[in-house]
Amino acid sequence: MNQGSSITRRLITAVLLLEGLAAVLLIVAVIVNEHQDEYSAFDANLRASANAFLGAVQEAEDSSPNIGLDVRRIPRTPHAVYRVTDGEGHVLGAEGPVPDLTIEPDSFRRVKINGHSYRFFALDGERVVDPGTPSAVIHQVHILYGQPDGRVWHEIWEATRFFMLATAILLGVTAVLLVWMIRRLLSPIHVLASEADKVNSVHWSFTAPEVAMHLAELRPLASAIERTVNRLQSSFEQQKRFTRDAAHELKTDLAIVKSSLQLLTMKERSVEEYGKGLGIALEDFTRLEETVQQMLTLARLEQPADAVSPTCALHQVLQDNVTQSASFASLNKVTLMASPVAAVSVPVDARDAALLCSNLIVNALQHSPDHGAVEIALRSDGPTATLTIRDHGEGIAEEDRPHLFEPFYRGDPSRSRKSGGTGLGLSICKAICDRAGGSIEIGNHRAGGAIVTVTLPVSRAGRTG
């Protein structure tokens, strides 16, 4: 099984990736915030220390108007460096390796000293000797004070370490719960697949499990599977019935042919008797050939139609069949009446249309009583054409109606082999109508007799309205 096709694994991976991304973004935000807070406090400390050094600049202890630096009262921070100079560049005091920096007053800069990161603050101030007297002297003082800022990053790490650890534990717990929940939520899919897997050529029963029908997302899939299985079952049963009936039909015809030939060999016969027997056998072979031909025709019609469907003038095909059936109707003492017949074109191959009309007309003639009539009409109402063929016979029995279009079905005992019927004519008619996107119905006329109604779509070229 391809592990990459697992929906569970994909869902878990996607959710964990989103959670991980959110956690990383949150940790970054926390680090940025802590960085700002810690450096603000660190810079305030640098500024306060620089101001303390400015306050430590005092008048010189001698009588000269100079200044000096007294750092005795300034708290000393480990590893802190400084340098205090006056306006003339004289160093008043210094400690540590202070580099020569050019920093704008009241600003900060990060500098590497001996591989360690330092942050410096520059402060410019004034110190007045003898203020308020005419001999007052103003001295410019420049202070450069720095401390290593590694401690700042240590504080940031200490502040965010617990948060990152808690986030990692939360992600782990979330992953475990997520796996459990997703597997539990997807369990209806496994139940549905298990039920569907039980369907085979012997066991066609499929009922969508309740757990799947209760979920809005699975309900359409479960219903679709149920309908598909039912259609497959119907098609499979139809195929089995067709195969059984076809085998029975062909076996019967072959048995008749075999018995006819066996009769000829049972004793010595005259030339006339041999000729008559061979003629009967030839008729049986002809009927067998017609049955096979109709089976092939039905199989062809049940195949998917071509992308470009043929078109025929149904009114012309119908009139040709009425003319060709006139002699058969006269032989059965039945009158054929074709009116009205509208000019209409339908998306049906001309040979199939002729087969449709021939089967229906012959069927109506066979079920018509002597001196009866078969009424034929072809009407068009724009998008559809309607062909009706009515006889005045015994009509359709209610128990036969559901099976009329099944192959080899003979509900009427009068339709014996002597009438030439194979039980495939109506099945072929229905296949022709289905292939063209039309329909066919057979019912009883309220005034008596059976009536066949064929509805076919009208080709674009044949539409008049």
Side-chain angles (χ1 to χ4, degrees), residues 302-322:
E302 289 179 343
Q303 296 298 317
D306 297 334
V308 180
S309 59
T311 301
C312 75
L314 183 60
H315 57 286
Q316 295 179 359
V317 174
L318 179 63
Q319 288 174 341
D320 292 342
N321 271 271
V322 170

Side-chain angles (χ1 to χ4, degrees), residues 42-51 81-83 101 103-110 118-124 142-147:
F42 186 74
D43 291 345
N45 182 46
L46 291 179
R47 188 187 302 274
S49 297
N51 283 321
V81 297
Y82 67 91
R83 183 173 64 208
L101 296 176
I103 304 177
E104 293 294 327
D106 200 29
S107 61
F108 299 90
R109 175 180 290 185
R110 182 177 290 108
Y118 276 71
R119 188 169 176 83
F120 280 87
F121 176 70
L123 176 66
D124 285 352
H142 179 70
I143 301 170
L144 190 61
Y145 181 80
Q147 287 186 9

Side-chain angles (χ1 to χ4, degrees), residues 12 50 119 134 177 216 245 254 284 292 296 307 312 365 375 433 448:
I12 294 174
R119 188 169 176 83
L177 292 177
D245 294 342
L254 289 174
D284 293 335
V292 173
L296 293 174
C312 75
L365 291 174
E375 302 170 12
C433 295

Side-chain angles (χ1 to χ4, degrees), residues 127-374:
R127 186 63 182 172
V128 182
V129 179
D130 298 331
T133 63
S135 59
V137 179
I138 299 175
H139 293 275
Q140 298 292 328
V141 178
H142 179 70
I143 301 170
L144 190 61
Y145 181 80
Q147 287 186 9
D149 60 353
R151 184 177 61 84
V152 178
W153 284 106
H154 176 73
E155 294 296 333
I156 293 174
W157 165 251
E158 289 296 328
T160 58
R161 183 176 60 179
F162 175 77
F163 179 78
M164 290 188 289
L165 180 62
T167 301
I169 295 174
L170 182 61
L171 281 176
V173 174
T174 303
V176 173
L177 292 177
L178 190 62
V179 171
W180 178 78
M181 289 181 64
I182 289 181
R183 287 183 175 176
R184 185 175 179 81
L185 291 176
L186 293 181
S187 62
I189 296 179
H190 297 291
V191 175
L192 179 62
S194 177
E195 287 297 320
D197 193 48
K198 296 177 182 176
V199 178
N200 54 46
S201 59
V202 178
H203 180 75
W204 282 99
S205 176
F206 176 82
T207 302
E210 290 294 328
V211 67
M213 296 300 289
H214 286 164
L215 296 176
E217 292 79 4
L218 282 183
R219 193 178 303 120
L221 176 61
S223 299
I225 293 176
E226 191 169 336
R227 291 192 299 271
T228 301
V229 170
N230 290 336
R231 287 196 298 269
L232 288 175
Q233 180 184 14
S234 177
S235 177
F236 189 75
E237 292 296 334
Q238 185 179 1
Q239 292 295 328
K240 287 202 304 183
R241 188 167 52 250
F242 178 82
T243 304
R244 182 185 63 241
D245 294 342
H248 175 74
E249 190 75 16
L250 296 177
K251 181 180 178 182
T252 301
D253 288 342
L254 289 174
I256 293 173
V257 174
K258 182 179 179 181
S259 61
S260 299
L261 296 176
Q262 284 177 336
L263 283 175
L264 290 177
T265 60
M266 292 180 66
K267 62 180 182 180
E268 191 73 24
R269 298 183 184 276
S270 64
V271 176
E272 290 77 10
E273 288 175 334
Y274 278 120
K276 183 179 179 181
L278 290 176
I280 294 174
L282 183 60
E283 291 178 358
D284 293 335
F285 273 119
T286 302
R287 185 170 56 251
L288 178 61
E289 183 182 22
E290 291 176 353
T291 301
V292 173
Q293 182 59 44
Q294 288 194 325
M295 291 173 59
L296 293 174
T297 301
L298 182 60
R300 175 180 62 80
L301 293 172
E302 289 179 343
Q303 296 298 317
D306 297 334
V308 180
S309 59
T311 301
C312 75
L314 183 60
H315 57 286
Q316 295 179 359
V317 174
L318 179 63
Q319 288 174 341
D320 292 342
N321 271 271
V322 170
T323 302
Q324 295 169 2
S325 303
S327 58
F328 182 67
S330 177
L331 185 64
N332 287 272
K333 301 176 182 177
V334 178
T335 303
L336 277 177
M337 298 184 296
S339 178
V341 177
V344 61
S345 295
V346 295
V348 180
D349 183 85
R351 293 171 299 176
D352 294 339
L355 190 58
L356 172 67
C357 295
S358 174
N359 285 345
L360 296 180
I361 292 174
V362 171
N363 193 60
L365 291 174
Q366 289 176 341
H367 288 78
S368 295
D370 290 347
H371 307 291
V374 173

